[in-house]
Amino acid sequence: MTTNQLPLAPGTWTADPSHTTVGFTVRHLGLAKVRGRFDGVDASLTVGDDLASSQVSASIELGTVATGNADRDAHLQSSDFFNSESNPQMTFVSTGIEGEGEEFTLLGDLTLNGITKPVELDVEFFGTSEFPMDQSTRAGFSATGSLSRKEYGIEFNMALGGDKVMVSDKVALELDVQLVAPSAG
């Protein structure tokens, strides 16, 4: 049975930045995975009467990239990768939400490096709970997907012989999001 709605109260739910992570993983030298995250995330979910009238939007500050290596973070912010001086934000706006229960597919447009492309994220809904510190209702989600760096004009690389390159084209996306319910009244 399809309910065609999200199991949340209508209104705009906002991401709690202290409990939200936008992460990524790339393969380095074809050998190891390098993980990173963005600390500057602003996101919201506007719950409508049904999935068609619900919308997700997010803005990520590219200058907040953190991989555990300051030199690598600076390189990622350079024109070789994010060009964060000219394009300080990555944005996402949903174009559709499909699914029911605990599993959804989030379709949307991701803009990175001045280029907008469609992306698809597999979303898992973990339910809601009251946060005891402020008695607000929270909802939890995780999402995964991937993108091609080249599709966003991010083509920096070095051939290492054979079919190996320094940094994979494929970027795996991993999000954990905690949303705060709209205030009553």
Side-chain angles (χ1 to χ4, degrees):
M1 179 175 133
T2 301
T3 60
N4 200 29
Q5 65 186 41
L6 292 168
L8 298 172
T12 300
W13 294 65
T14 56
D16 175 354
S18 298
H19 298 100
T20 295
T21 302
V22 174
F24 62 91
T25 305
V26 296
R27 181 84 50 193
H28 182 256
L29 302 178
L31 303 172
K33 291 180 179 179
V34 174
R35 300 177 194 285
R37 70 178 192 284
F38 295 96
D39 292 329
V41 178
D42 182 27
S44 65
L45 164 63
T46 301
V47 177
D49 293 331
D50 56 21
L51 292 178
S53 63
S54 297
Q55 176 141 10
V56 174
S57 64
S59 176
I60 295 127
E61 295 295 328
L62 296 173
T64 66
V65 66
T67 64
N69 181 298
D71 290 339
R72 181 172 45 225
D73 295 349
H75 190 204
L76 287 172
Q77 292 180 50
S78 77
S79 61
D80 284 344
F81 289 94
F82 300 141
N83 197 14
S84 61
E85 189 171 308
S86 297
N87 299 296
Q89 295 180 332
M90 171 172 42
T91 59
F92 175 86
V93 177
S94 67
T95 58
I97 303 171
E98 302 168 353
E100 62 180 301
E102 296 175 354
E103 296 183 10
F104 294 87
T105 300
L106 180 61
L107 309 167
D109 291 328
L110 181 71
T111 301
L112 173 60
N113 203 24
I115 298 170
T116 302
K117 295 282 183 183
V119 295
E120 184 174 305
L121 300 172
D122 295 321
V123 178
E124 185 175 359
F125 173 58
F126 298 121
T128 61
S129 185
E130 183 176 298
F131 186 50
M133 303 304 283
D134 64 7
Q135 289 72 50
S136 64
T137 300
R138 306 292 179 105
F141 295 86
S142 69
T144 58
S146 66
L147 60 84
S148 161
R149 293 186 304 116
K150 291 178 184 176
E151 288 186 359
Y152 293 91
I154 303 171
E155 299 190 22
F156 172 84
N157 228 332
M158 289 183 189
L160 301 175
D163 62 349
K164 292 189 177 183
V165 292
M166 182 180 287
V167 182
S168 64
D169 176 52
K170 180 182 176 182
V171 179
L173 306 173
E174 302 169 13
L175 297 84
D176 285 295
V177 181
Q178 191 174 109
L179 298 171
V180 181
S183 299

